[in-house]
Amino acid sequence: MLLGYKTATPEAICFIVFMKKSIRYFFCLLFLFFPCLILAQNNISNVMMQAFYWDVPVDEANKNGSWWDHLREIAPELKDVGITSVWTPVPAKGNWGIVDSGYGIYDHFDLGNYFQKGTIETRYGSRKELEEMIAEMHRNNINVYSDVVLNHLYGGDENFEKNPVVTDYVKSGRKEAYPEEDIRWIDSVAYTKTHLYFPKHNGAGEPNYEWRYWNFHPSSENDSLTDFTDDVLRPRTKFFGNDLDTYSVEVQNRLCNWGKWLRNEIGFDGFRMDFVRGLQPEFVSRWIRGLPLLNGKQPFVVGEYWGSAKYIKEWVDSVAKGNANVHAFDFPLKFTLTEMCNNSGNDFDISRLNHAGMIRNNEGYALPPDNVVTFVDNHDTGKEHDKWITKDYAMAYAYILTHEGTPCIFYPHYFTVKQYDVNDHQQIVEAPTSLKDTISKLIEIRKKYIGGKTVVLTETGNPSPEKVTKNVYVARRQGTRSTSGAIIVLNNNDTDTLSINLSVNSQGFKDLSDTQLVDAFSPTNKVKVSKDGRVTFIVQPRGFSIWVKENEL
């Protein structure tokens, strides 16, 4: 029987208070001295899904978006499979109304609840439906990360205004030209679509802003545009719409207020930042620092820096100098995995995986796993056929779901949605229906067996025959507190089942000598590790296997 404070003796009360304080003290010490154990477990278990694609369905005729409702309905399914966070599309009203994907952003604070651009709802639905979706995700212990666009705003014909800065800029023949298609000339004066005005906003925390030409580059006679020809930062590039002058204190304050509002009023748990190459890192740091904390910590933020490893690392490090922590999407890994999947085994040396991507980079540009989001395809690569993975998707997902970093699953791959090239609808790709079960099983294996560091055994385990390493890749992940980890074996040979013998033991990993391993996908397949720590793996062509200790299955 439990003692209540009202009926307990003074001695019992003192004992209870002592025990509660002792337990609290114990957990404080645990977190202070072993924070890596607690945080690593949380990071390892995080599996994202990009929960949209470029052209999600919309009822254009009736001005009705239904995507928020759809995501709300599938929240329990996502929880059951092990998805812990979803990346959702830009929620704000776009310049092209009901068909706008959100990247043509017009009004930050209209989430489908004001009539403008010919519609109340956005492509994805109403603000009410958005908030109901977030609430349902939260009930299923899933974090919601919103896409945000801070680089630009678009305007329509009703947004033309006289722009003396652009008039002088063009007439002076500045090096980087202002796009002529964005100018209407009247009596030798340039008019631009930069006067953005909105219906009166009356919701909590919603300001009533207008945007004018001096909020965008070039914003003054001393301002200038830059080109967009390489991987470096381009904060003054007019690549999309009206390029916001994020050097302006007024512009920064407005954008920071939007981020705070999305956290506080709408309830987003984190953010994906679009086109961060168009933003100076100092501003990105300020924007992140200004976000309200989530469970006492900075919210999750991942940036889209589409470029080489060198520039991605420079961006992450630059943001960190401003006391903000940011993740980056692993574009170098994505394109290496695309080559592996789409090319034959004769044309792709699988040993390239040894140091592929941002985490395993050995050229001086590596990032910690906690700063990297890995992925196979996304809404941008999914709309351009020359960037698609077109076959052997399972090999790519076997890699990202067994390796370090936060893996992000692409909705159309999991739910078998056809993808069309945005410029050529004759180009179509569709993942096999079997991929859903494969990804689900991989998530289960990741959560049950995998944690900690990675070692590439085909690089360190004295493989035999060595020539097989052109087609066979073997890596081992450390385990959890209760497991010995897992070994992933990939074979990209087109026709041949291949075998490889190597040592599976490595410093910092549990000793697997003289143990029985079983294939987690096909438990009838077993191999015995010899007393000296060597084992022979046999793997099917264009396939993979994942091995765990039999007594931990």
Side-chain angles (χ1 to χ4, degrees):
M1 179 179 179
L2 293 176
L3 293 173
Y5 278 106
K6 291 183 180 179
T7 60
T9 65
E11 293 80 2
I13 292 174
C14 289
F15 177 75
I16 291 169
V17 172
F18 171 76
M19 288 302 294
K20 290 181 72 175
K21 288 184 176 179
S22 297
I23 291 170
R24 188 183 300 122
Y25 182 66
F26 168 76
F27 280 107
C28 286
L29 286 175
L30 182 66
F31 186 78
L32 282 171
F33 291 103
F34 302 101
C36 56
L37 295 178
I38 298 170
L39 296 178
Q41 198 67 17
N42 290 336
N43 291 333
I44 290 163
S45 62
N46 188 16
V47 177
M48 290 175 61
M49 174 176 282
Q50 181 178 1
F52 68 101
Y53 49 101
W54 187 255
D55 53 353
V56 302
V58 61
D59 183 350
E60 182 178 355
N62 294 303
K63 303 291 191 289
N64 180 45
S66 58
W67 196 249
W68 300 140
D69 284 341
H70 172 64
L71 294 184
R72 174 179 53 79
E73 290 167 358
I74 66 171
E77 178 182 358
L78 298 182
K79 175 188 176 182
D80 289 344
V81 77
I83 300 297
T84 57
S85 58
V86 289
W87 158 24
T88 57
V90 180
K93 182 71 60 67
N95 184 61
W96 286 274
I98 195 67
V99 299
D100 199 298
S101 65
Y103 296 103
I105 187 168
Y106 178 70
D107 182 353
H108 294 103
F109 292 89
D110 179 359
L111 306 188
N113 51 315
Y114 295 101
F115 183 83
Q116 53 185 333
K117 297 297 180 180
T119 178
I120 294 178
E121 294 196 357
T122 71
R123 186 182 189 105
Y124 310 106
S126 69
R127 172 172 168 172
K128 180 175 181 290
E129 292 163 349
L130 167 64
E131 292 175 324
E132 289 172 346
M133 179 274 291
I134 294 173
E136 182 64 17
M137 289 292 178
H138 288 168
R139 279 190 287 271
N140 285 275
N141 298 317
I142 297 173
N143 287 326
V144 184
Y145 304 149
S146 179
D147 209 321
V148 289
V149 176
L150 306 177
N151 174 74
H152 58 268
L153 290 169
Y154 277 87
D157 287 348
E158 70 273 25
N159 302 116
F160 273 114
E161 67 172 337
K162 184 183 296 186
N163 191 329
V165 173
V166 168
T167 301
D168 293 342
Y169 184 90
V170 173
K171 289 182 177 180
S172 65
R174 302 287 281 274
K175 180 179 179 181
E176 186 62 28
Y178 195 97
E180 278 293 333
E181 62 270 21
D182 290 345
I183 301 174
R184 178 182 291 173
W185 289 98
I186 301 176
D187 297 331
S188 299
V189 175
Y191 285 70
T192 56
K193 300 177 183 179
T194 47
H195 184 198
L196 311 187
Y197 53 90
F198 318 112
K200 181 175 175 57
H201 288 16
N202 49 31
E206 297 178 15
N208 284 285
Y209 293 143
E210 284 189 29
W211 297 91
R212 303 300 302 273
Y213 67 83
W214 55 81
N215 299 130
F216 307 99
H217 292 300
S219 57
S220 70
E221 62 181 10
N222 298 318
D223 193 14
S224 183
L225 298 176
T226 55
D227 64 5
F228 187 70
T229 56
D230 50 30
D231 287 355
V232 302
L233 287 164
R234 297 294 189 193
R236 290 184 172 89
T237 296
K238 196 178 186 306
F239 194 63
F240 302 102
N242 300 307
D243 190 63
L244 283 160
D245 180 4
T246 52
Y247 293 92
S248 159
V249 174
E250 178 186 27
V251 171
Q252 286 194 16
N253 289 342
R254 290 184 177 192
L255 294 177
C256 288
N257 288 339
W258 184 46
K260 295 173 185 176
W261 181 78
L262 290 173
R263 271 284 298 122
N264 280 337
E265 295 297 331
I266 309 304
F268 286 111
D269 305 291
F271 300 97
R272 177 264 186 185
M273 302 182 78
D274 182 64
F275 190 59
V276 295
R277 284 181 58 193
L279 307 169
Q280 68 274 29
E282 296 80 8
F283 166 59
V284 173
S285 299
R286 182 194 168 192
W287 193 87
I288 295 172
R289 288 197 315 271
L291 295 173
L293 300 180
L294 179 66
N295 300 323
K297 301 176 184 177
Q298 177 208 292
F300 176 96
V301 177
V302 58
E304 179 212 27
Y305 199 116
W306 192 321
S308 65
K310 176 181 184 294
Y311 292 108
I312 293 173
K313 176 175 171 54
E314 285 181 358
W315 179 74
V316 171
D317 291 346
S318 295
V319 173
K321 289 178 182 177
N323 297 316
N325 182 53
V326 71
H327 293 65
F329 285 106
D330 197 338
F331 279 92
L333 178 63
K334 180 271 185 290
F335 288 112
T336 300
L337 294 176
T338 300
E339 287 187 63
M340 176 187 71
C341 294
N342 291 351
N343 291 328
S344 73
N346 293 329
D347 296 326
F348 182 85
D349 185 337
I350 205 168
S351 67
R352 287 176 57 191
L353 294 183
N354 295 357
H355 297 283
M358 297 304 305
I359 297 170
R360 296 198 56 78
N361 182 284
N362 62 348
E363 298 175 341
Y365 308 126
L367 286 175
D370 288 349
N371 289 107
V372 177
V373 174
T374 58
F375 69 104
V376 173
D377 265 320
N378 64 23
H379 64 293
D380 279 322
T381 64
K383 66 181 172 64
E384 300 174 10
H385 74 274
D386 61 328
K387 299 175 181 64
W388 290 340
I389 285 183
T390 57
K391 65 186 182 75
D392 295 324
Y393 302 83
M395 294 177 66
Y397 278 106
Y399 183 95
I400 70 168
L401 285 165
T402 58
H403 282 63
E404 295 172 78
T406 299
C408 185
I409 297 159
F410 190 35
Y411 178 99
H413 290 171
Y414 191 76
F415 289 104
T416 317
V417 177
K418 287 182 180 179
Q419 296 290 280
Y420 298 85
D421 188 297
V422 69
N423 296 313
D424 181 3
H425 275 210
Q426 299 302 310
Q427 299 282 352
I428 304 171
V429 69
E430 184 177 16
T433 56
S434 60
L435 186 60
K436 182 176 185 178
D437 289 340
T438 300
I439 291 174
S440 298
K441 181 66 176 178
L442 285 165
I443 295 173
E444 176 189 339
I445 292 169
R446 179 183 184 86
K447 290 179 177 290
K448 183 175 181 180
Y449 297 104
I450 289 175
K453 297 180 180 179
T454 306
V455 60
V456 177
L457 299 178
T458 36
E459 185 177 40
T460 65
N462 191 23
S464 177
E466 188 175 358
K467 65 179 182 180
V468 176
T469 60
K470 291 185 176 181
N471 291 117
V472 176
Y473 170 86
V474 185
R476 183 180 174 187
R477 284 294 302 277
Q478 288 178 325
T480 64
R481 295 171 189 169
S482 59
T483 68
S484 305
I487 298 171
I488 170 73
V489 185
L490 291 167
N491 175 11
N492 75 328
N493 190 284
D494 297 298
T495 58
D496 296 342
T497 297
L498 298 176
S499 65
I500 190 168
N501 179 270
L502 41 64
S503 174
V504 296
N505 290 327
S506 186
Q507 186 175 359
F509 289 71
K510 294 180 181 179
D511 192 339
L512 295 180
S513 300
D514 200 26
T515 60
Q516 188 93 340
L517 304 181
V518 60
D519 184 351
F521 268 83
S522 302
T524 56
N525 294 337
K526 302 177 183 180
V527 294
K528 182 66 180 286
V529 182
S530 66
K531 292 182 180 180
D532 65 355
R534 296 188 69 86
V535 69
T536 297
F537 293 115
I538 300 174
V539 61
Q540 300 296 314
R542 309 301 295 184
F544 69 90
S545 55
I546 299 175
W547 300 86
V548 298
K549 286 182 68 173
E550 183 178 28
N551 61 5
E552 295 174 354
L553 188 64

